[in-house]
Amino acid sequence: MSFSHKQNPKTLVLFDVDGTLTPARLTISPEMKQVLKELREKVVIGFVGGSDLQKQVEQLGDSVLQDFDYCFSENGLTAYKLGEKLASQSFINWIGEDKYNKLARFILGYLAQLELPKRRGTFLEFRNGMINVSPIGRNASTEERNEFEKFDLENKIREKFVQVLKDEFPDYGLTYSIGGQISFDVFPTGWDKTYALQHVEKEGFTEIHFFGDKSYKGGNDYEIYTDPRTIGHAVNSPDDTIRILKELFF
Ligand code: M1P
C-alpha cells in the first residue's frame, strides 16, 4: 500500500465538498486546510464531490490533486489517487449512442409539447456522467428560476415528466433526481457517491469514514452515508466537520 508512512494507513476518511469542507458554493477556509493537512499525516483522506474537477479546484484550491490522497469528482466517475488518474467512466459510454438517441428524442419531443409561461435556452445539457433536463432552460436568470420553481410546485411539471420517462424507458436502468430549482438529473442507477467506493475496494481499508451534510433520505450523500462499507457522519457545516474530526482523530 502506498500509505504506509501514515499513522493509520488503513483508515480512509472521505468528505463531501459543499456544506462539509466548504460553505455551499464557496471556497475552503485556511482553518479547514490546516486541519486536513494534519489529518492527512494520520489517515488517508479524499473528497467525493458531485460536480466536476474544475469546480472542486475553484473551491478547494489549485493544488487539490496534491492536497488529497483521493480526489473523486462527479461521484467518482473521474478519480485520482495520489495525483494519478484512475479509470474513468462516462454516461454516453455506459448507455450507448442508440439508446441515448431514443431517450434524447423523446425528451426533446416532450419538452416541445409542454405548456409553459416562459422558455429560455439549453433544455437538455449533456454532461460527462449524466444528462440534465430543464423545461425552462438552463439559461434562465435568477428571477426566472424562482418563477419556474413556483410554477413547477403548482403544476408538477418535473414530477410528471419524470414519471413519463420512467414509464417510457422502464428497462434503461436510470435514476431521476429533482435536486435543484429548474431541472432534473438523469444518470445510471448506482452512480451516486457509492460509485467512488469501487476505486478503494482492493486497498484493504479497515475503516472508511464519510462526512456529508446531505445525508438525509433524498440528499445526495444519503447512499454513501448509509452504505454498510462506510461509517457515516452527518454534519451541518464545515465547522461541524472540524469539531467531529477533532473528537475522532486528534
Ligand atoms: O445540486 C443540485 C442541482 O443543482 C442544479 O439544479 P438546478 O439548475 O435545477 O437548480 C443542477 O446543477 C443539478 O444538476 C443539480 O443536481
Side-chain angles (χ1 to χ4, degrees):
M1 192 188 276
S2 15
F3 303 119
S4 48
H5 58 286
K6 298 189 190 255
Q7 282 174 26
N8 294 305
K10 294 203 163 185
T11 298
L12 171 63
V13 184
L14 294 172
F15 301 93
D16 160 57
V17 180
D18 269 323
T20 301
L21 289 182
T22 73
R25 297 178 190 211
L26 299 179
T27 54
I28 191 166
S29 69
E31 188 193 3
M32 179 64 87
K33 267 198 151 177
Q34 185 57 34
V35 169
L36 291 179
K37 195 170 169 224
E38 288 170 29
L39 180 68
R40 198 178 176 197
E41 288 165 20
K42 302 172 192 294
V43 299
V44 182
I45 67 166
F47 68 79
V48 195
S51 351
D52 59 17
L53 184 60
Q54 193 190 330
K55 188 84 186 48
Q56 284 131 12
V57 168
E58 282 165 29
Q59 289 183 274
L60 301 174
D62 290 340
S63 57
V64 71
L65 291 179
Q66 287 77 52
D67 295 343
F68 289 81
D69 298 303
Y70 285 101
C71 299
F72 296 124
S73 303
E74 296 185 77
N75 295 350
L77 296 183
T78 300
Y80 289 83
K81 177 187 175 187
L82 296 170
E84 299 284 327
K85 202 166 193 294
L86 303 175
S88 65
Q89 174 61 293
S90 70
F91 177 73
I92 193 65
N93 267 346
W94 177 88
I95 195 167
E97 292 296 351
D98 279 357
K99 282 171 84 180
Y100 177 58
N101 216 337
K102 284 191 191 105
L103 179 68
R105 282 180 60 183
F106 184 89
I107 288 172
L108 294 170
Y110 185 93
L111 283 166
Q113 301 306 319
L114 282 174
E115 292 285 351
L116 297 174
K118 280 185 185 175
R119 281 187 163 78
R120 293 298 177 255
T122 313
F123 305 102
L124 174 56
E125 187 172 80
F126 183 79
R127 300 179 180 171
N128 180 52
M130 66 171 74
I131 55 169
N132 176 269
V133 182
S134 175
I136 185 173
R138 301 208 58 74
N139 300 140
S141 66
T142 306
E143 199 185 333
E144 289 158 355
R145 279 181 157 262
N146 295 338
E147 284 169 15
F148 177 83
E149 193 178 23
K150 191 163 172 279
F151 182 79
D152 186 50
L153 206 64
E154 286 155 9
N155 295 279
K156 311 242 173 294
I157 302 289
R158 289 183 291 175
E159 206 180 300
K160 287 181 199 160
F161 197 167
V162 163
Q163 193 52 53
V164 169
L165 287 171
K166 283 183 178 168
D167 294 343
E168 190 69 22
F169 300 97
D171 54 344
Y172 264 40
L174 293 169
T175 291
Y176 303 86
S177 163
I178 303 177
Q181 274 185 300
I182 57 160
S183 65
F184 60 89
D185 297 327
V186 185
F187 51 86
T189 301
W191 285 21
D192 48 62
K193 290 190 182 185
T194 60
Y195 187 93
L197 296 176
Q198 65 185 269
H199 292 293
V200 300
E201 240 156 30
K202 296 200 177 89
E203 297 278 1
F205 290 116
T206 52
E207 274 184 25
I208 302 177
H209 293 259
F210 174 77
F211 288 72
D213 69 321
K214 298 200 179 60
S215 45
Y216 46 83
K217 202 165 176 24
N220 66 358
D221 294 326
Y222 177 75
E223 289 84 2
I224 189 167
Y225 169 77
T226 54
D227 192 285
R229 291 169 289 182
T230 66
I231 301 164
H233 305 280
V235 301
N236 54 38
S237 65
D239 283 348
D240 204 25
T241 303
I242 291 176
R243 180 185 63 76
I244 300 173
L245 285 176
K246 288 194 168 161
E247 274 173 25
L248 290 177
F249 300 107
F250 288 84

